Amino acid sequence: MGETHSIEDRFQAFVEAENKVEPKHWMPDGYRKTLVRQISQHAHSEVVGMLPEANWITRAPSLRAKLILLAKVQDEAGHGLYLYSAAETLGTSRDEMIGDLLSGKAKYSSIFNCLARTPKEQTLRSY
Ligand SMILES: [Fe+2]
């Protein structure tokens, strides 16, 4: 008779064989939770990161500078939305992730808390 392997052992072997884990695959709860935490933290950082840039749009010294900032804000919003969508495929709603951010349970990259003195400094800081 062959050995009986637990579902956890089979998942571990699947990962160690460098197979691609998809959201609909069975995975340990902790593994799924870690993925959601990492992806949502990245999403939060993208969205929070666009806030200080957006703050400079009305104060940018030229229309060209305003357009650059608008494009950057739009780009970051897109990154955040894409990542929230990816996390949602793992079974956590966007509302829950945003709620965790607003309650302080979820984190984001604190580099975005540093205020810039000029729109140029803000743009350079975000790269
Ligand atoms: Fe981004």
Side-chain angles (χ1 to χ4, degrees):
M1 293 186 103
E3 281 184 56
T4 303
H5 298 285
S6 69
I7 194 167
E8 289 86 0
D9 289 343
R10 284 186 280 148
F11 177 79
Q12 187 64 36
F14 186 79
V15 171
E16 288 175 6
E18 299 188 14
N19 289 299
K20 189 175 175 184
V21 178
E22 297 289 348
K24 300 290 185 207
H25 288 162
W26 182 91
M27 64 184 82
D29 289 343
Y31 189 91
R32 185 177 298 274
K33 188 176 174 184
T34 296
L35 289 176
V36 170
R37 180 182 55 76
Q38 291 174 333
I39 296 169
S40 67
Q41 181 177 342
H42 192 164
H44 299 326
S45 298
E46 298 287 351
V47 171
V48 172
M50 76 183 185
L51 299 176
E53 292 174 337
N55 193 35
W56 283 101
I57 293 171
T58 57
R59 292 181 279 161
S62 67
L63 182 58
R64 185 171 190 276
K66 290 180 193 304
L67 290 172
I68 291 168
L69 283 167
L70 277 168
K72 191 75 172 66
V73 167
Q74 184 181 26
D75 194 44
E76 300 309 334
H79 298 160
L81 292 176
Y82 178 81
L83 287 160
Y84 283 128
S85 294
E88 284 179 313
T89 67
L90 290 159
T92 301
S93 74
R94 190 172 308 196
D95 285 346
E96 187 177 347
M97 289 182 274
I98 298 292
D100 287 347
L101 174 65
L102 296 176
S103 74
K105 180 180 174 189
K107 306 298 180 204
Y108 61 91
S109 178
S110 62
I111 185 86
F112 301 117
N113 292 333
C114 303
L115 296 177
R117 292 166 291 183
T118 66
K120 185 177 181 181
E121 183 181 314
Q122 179 60 52
T123 303
L124 290 172
R125 184 173 289 174
S126 64
Y127 284 101

